[in-house]
Amino acid sequence: MAIKDFKTNKPIKAHATSKYTTYRVTEPAGLMEFLMKKMAGISRTRVKALLTNRVVLVDNTIQTLYNYPLQPGMCVQISREKHKHEFHHPMLKILYEDAYIIVVEKKEGLLSVATERQKERTAQHILNEYVKRIHKGNRIYVVHRLDRETSGIMMYAKDEKTQHTLRDNWHDLVRDRRYVAIVQGEMEQDEGTVCSWLTDRKLYVSSSPTDDGGKYSVTHYHTIKRANGFSLLELQLETGRKNQIRVHMQSLGHPVVGDERYGCEMNPLERLALHAFKLCFYHPVTHEWMEFETPYPTPFKTLMLRR
């Protein structure tokens, strides 16, 4: 009897079946519980190692969540080719992945999403190519973005329903987004909040202290350190508008270092000194609390060392 692909119902060629150990789900269960039952004698530590090594797939999608809820009809596969699904890219690092979302850290200089001019040198394209290696029908869905010049943590959806859930409930699900920045000059205040209406003029974003038809935007900032004519800030977004931090820092008279577009003439790091270092949210499907944080970039710390 030929083995058939669970999605297409077409026979799978014999040479391909040996790449996976496949289990069918017949009753609701958590992934850890299911694997321990099916793989008799396997330890919890070993199951977690399989998940960490990204060799467990549920319905052709890599799954790393140990308590992922399985439902009857699903297909669980253990890849025998460990290195097939490893991801390596100089501009992008995967921090977390499951059947619904993928959380990454991107470097400065990489676009978040494809544009008419640039389709391939983008995080979206790179991740699309990666998920299609696992199943050609897989793709990545954009949820939010970071400016090309900004580095840091961001999230993508792996199906359209999850994308809509995140976009429609963004402020309920995403509870903490923080950035670190170095700005020109020494901040007058230790902390404060900038509120304004922002309007996208295509080449730049304009800011108005009164409602001029733009989008209301709120940025909270905390001054961590002042040194060498610069200030190191931690910023928390209440809204996520295009170029929001960059425009708000310019309005305070302290543009982000390296940000020529918004009034900074200094570029000692040869990059925009803005990094999204923290992202905390409730998982759009499992509702689990998720926290991701990366260290401040080393060049930022070096620039702020007192001379």
Side-chain angles (χ1 to χ4, degrees):
M1 179 178 174
I3 299 175
K4 295 184 178 181
D5 184 284
F6 75 97
K7 282 190 174 180
T8 65
N9 204 36
K10 293 180 180 179
I12 299 174
K13 292 180 181 179
H15 72 268
T17 61
S18 63
K19 294 179 181 179
Y20 300 99
T21 301
T22 303
Y23 303 104
R24 287 281 181 180
V25 181
T26 58
E27 57 185 11
L31 183 55
M32 169 82 77
E33 172 194 352
F34 177 83
L35 290 176
M36 291 187 72
K37 184 176 179 180
K38 291 292 183 180
M39 303 170 75
I42 194 170
S43 68
R44 295 178 69 87
T45 301
R46 178 60 185 149
V47 172
K48 286 183 177 179
L50 291 174
L51 295 170
T52 300
N53 289 331
R54 307 161 67 77
V55 298
V56 179
L57 290 80
V58 177
D59 288 355
N60 283 326
T61 301
I62 287 176
Q63 181 56 253
T64 58
L65 203 62
Y66 75 92
N67 60 349
Y68 178 78
L70 299 175
Q71 297 298 328
M74 287 183 172
C75 178
V76 178
Q77 296 169 299
I78 312 298
S79 173
R80 295 176 181 175
E81 299 179 341
K82 177 181 174 182
H83 300 291
K84 179 182 177 183
H85 306 305
E86 288 187 355
F87 177 86
H88 298 287
H89 196 280
M91 300 293 285
L92 205 60
K93 178 182 179 182
I94 294 179
L95 302 179
Y96 174 81
E97 179 184 4
D98 62 28
Y100 305 108
I101 61 172
I102 185 164
V103 181
V104 300
E105 180 182 2
K106 86 170 187 74
K107 287 196 173 182
E108 71 281 0
L110 184 68
L111 281 167
S112 301
V113 302
T115 65
E116 288 186 5
R117 291 184 178 181
Q118 181 58 264
K119 297 189 183 300
E120 293 194 359
R121 189 178 166 81
T122 70
Q124 181 184 12
H125 176 79
I126 293 165
L127 292 172
N128 265 328
E129 292 297 300
Y130 160 65
V131 298
K132 284 177 180 178
R133 292 205 321 252
I134 301 162
H135 189 277
K136 63 182 180 180
N138 289 346
R139 60 167 289 196
I140 292 295
Y141 295 80
V142 176
V143 178
H144 67 125
R145 348 182 149 200
L146 290 179
D147 295 341
R148 182 206 294 260
E149 302 91 343
T150 303
S151 58
I153 303 172
M154 58 183 306
M155 167 172 45
Y156 293 87
K158 297 178 77 175
D159 63 81
E160 201 167 5
K161 183 179 179 181
T162 302
Q163 178 194 41
H164 290 315
T165 299
L166 282 165
R167 284 185 166 180
D168 295 345
N169 303 280
W170 184 257
H171 294 293
D172 294 326
L173 295 174
V174 180
R175 308 311 291 265
D176 196 355
R177 293 175 67 195
R178 295 192 205 182
Y179 292 69
V180 61
I182 297 178
V183 299
Q184 186 176 315
E186 296 197 354
M187 295 292 291
E188 294 76 17
Q189 304 294 326
D190 289 338
E191 56 186 34
T193 299
V194 185
C195 306
S196 74
W197 282 260
L198 301 182
T199 303
D200 187 354
R201 309 286 184 189
K202 290 192 176 179
L203 292 178
Y204 69 97
V205 175
S206 67
S207 177
S208 171
T210 57
D211 188 352
D212 61 350
K215 294 180 178 179
Y216 187 62
S217 310
V218 181
T219 304
H220 305 285
Y221 69 87
H222 172 68
T223 306
I224 298 169
K225 187 177 182 180
R226 301 173 179 88
N228 310 318
F230 303 108
S231 298
L232 180 69
L233 307 183
E234 188 174 298
L235 305 114
Q236 188 169 14
L237 295 184
E238 218 173 278
T239 55
R241 313 301 185 197
K242 178 181 176 182
N243 295 173
Q244 178 176 318
I245 290 174
R246 298 164 63 181
V247 177
H248 279 172
M249 292 303 100
Q250 180 194 39
S251 71
L252 290 178
H254 297 282
V256 176
V257 166
D259 195 358
E260 184 179 348
R261 178 181 295 181
Y262 293 106
C264 186
E265 298 175 353
M266 308 174 71
N267 192 6
L269 300 179
E270 297 185 347
R271 61 156 291 183
L272 185 72
L274 183 60
H275 177 78
F277 79 94
K278 190 171 187 177
L279 180 64
C280 303
F281 58 92
Y282 289 103
H283 193 286
V285 179
T286 68
H287 308 299
E288 182 181 11
W289 178 246
M290 317 287 286
E291 292 187 12
F292 298 94
E293 188 168 342
T294 61
Y296 290 179
T298 300
F300 288 25
K301 299 175 185 177
T302 303
L303 186 62
M304 294 306 295
L305 290 175
R306 294 195 182 277
R307 297 175 189 141

